[in-house]
Amino acid sequence: MATWDPDVYALYRRYRERPALDLLTAIPGDLKPREIWDLGCGLGEQAALLAARHPEARVRGLDSSPEMLERAKRLSARVEWVLGDLAGFAPETPADLIFSNAALQWVDDHPVLIPRLVAALAEGGVLAAQMPVVDGLGWRASLAEIAASGPWAKRFSGIEGVRAAHDPADYYGWLAPSCPEIDIWTTTYLHALHGQDPIVDWTMGTTLRPYLDALPDDEKPAFLDAWRARLSRDYPRREDGVTLFPFKRLFILARKG
């Protein structure tokens, strides 16, 4: 399992927070949850916001990274931090709100996962999830090509990365048998990033972690330099120093009947 670096992950916090806040504001205003789970809570900011928004609720943040949870605990929020695997999530008490920001993409078998999350909801409960759309294009495609073509390729044979995106209609189909209220949409955020290698910096705390963890220190620079060269062609820096980084995300909001 990759080791997550909270400091690197937080470098682009304001960009990462925008989709989470967009998802939070879409949660139905009439929902009065007593049991809330934030799955893949990371640094814990959204779990803390949910706890502040719903002071009467029991709020738990689940993450598989001890490093992330240690940082989350510094928030002094009214949240129970739980170390665990999202794939095995099975709450003892049905949840009124299951929130997940940019985490479900790391879990296999969404045709099974999504109905299982809905089954963990109480009647009238809400599933609110957001995840990046992985379509095999752009920077992820170039990363995969570089990883497969260099002398380091054998070291990456067992790496499990972000799962490819399903069609929004698939998610609707998995939700529809149990959820009479479903809202699914996509948004492409055009991030204006600064710095010498902002896309490498962006991914250093997430997508790149499994690759870097698999490499000895003396091989990491060559691998990163090879990807930097490709990114400089695909995402050239503008004369004003800005690198435009389009990032598409899928949003799911479903209420159990």
Side-chain angles (χ1 to χ4, degrees):
M1 181 175 65
T3 300
W4 302 102
D5 187 328
D7 291 320
V8 174
Y9 184 84
L11 281 175
Y12 294 101
R13 176 174 293 169
R14 71 185 183 94
Y15 296 105
R16 297 185 189 279
E17 283 182 344
R18 170 71 185 279
L21 294 175
D22 287 348
L23 181 61
L24 280 168
T25 57
I27 294 172
D30 65 341
L31 183 68
K32 306 298 180 186
R34 304 293 298 185
E35 295 281 336
I36 298 176
W37 282 88
D38 181 353
L39 303 185
C41 64
L43 298 177
E45 294 101 331
Q46 285 78 54
L49 287 173
L50 287 166
R53 182 177 178 180
H54 302 286
E56 74 288 352
R58 182 183 184 186
V59 181
R60 278 160 287 189
L62 180 145
D63 205 278
S64 62
S65 167
E67 296 83 5
M68 289 290 196
L69 290 180
E70 281 302 312
R71 182 65 61 86
K73 291 175 183 177
R74 300 181 192 177
L75 295 174
S76 299
R78 191 184 48 78
V79 177
E80 299 172 37
W81 306 109
V82 180
L83 180 65
D85 185 359
L86 194 159
F89 174 68
E92 294 182 1
T93 303
D96 301 301
L97 173 61
I98 295 176
F99 181 90
S100 184
N101 178 61
L104 298 186
Q105 72 274 11
W106 295 102
V107 183
D108 282 324
D109 204 0
H110 281 202
V112 173
L113 173 67
I114 298 301
R116 184 162 58 79
L117 292 179
V118 172
L121 289 171
E123 185 175 350
V126 169
L127 171 65
Q130 176 273 128
M131 68 194 92
V133 174
V134 181
D135 54 11
L137 302 175
W139 61 271
R140 290 190 180 89
S142 66
L143 176 60
E145 291 172 13
I146 295 298
S149 62
W152 41 72
K154 290 184 179 179
R155 297 189 184 275
F156 300 148
S157 60
I159 287 179
E160 295 182 2
V162 176
R163 309 307 189 264
H166 291 278
D167 190 273
D170 293 332
Y171 289 99
Y172 190 96
W174 300 327
L175 293 163
S178 301
C179 299
E181 300 177 36
I182 301 172
D183 191 8
I184 299 175
W185 70 97
T186 60
T187 298
T188 299
Y189 298 87
L190 185 62
H191 301 309
L193 305 183
H194 296 268
Q196 186 68 27
D197 299 295
I199 298 177
V200 173
D201 293 341
W202 176 289
T203 57
M204 194 71 75
T206 51
T207 308
L208 269 176
R209 291 313 313 166
Y211 296 95
L212 296 180
D213 289 348
L215 288 175
D217 289 343
D218 61 347
E219 292 185 25
K220 292 176 183 177
F223 170 66
L224 290 174
D225 286 345
W227 194 38
R228 288 186 180 105
R230 175 65 179 272
L231 289 172
S232 68
R233 299 196 303 270
D234 295 345
Y235 299 89
R237 190 162 56 250
R238 290 165 42 92
E239 292 183 3
D240 59 3
V242 168
T243 298
L244 295 177
F245 183 38
F247 204 113
K248 187 176 182 181
R249 296 181 182 268
L250 172 71
F251 293 80
I252 297 171
L253 199 66
R255 196 162 198 170
K256 187 174 181 178

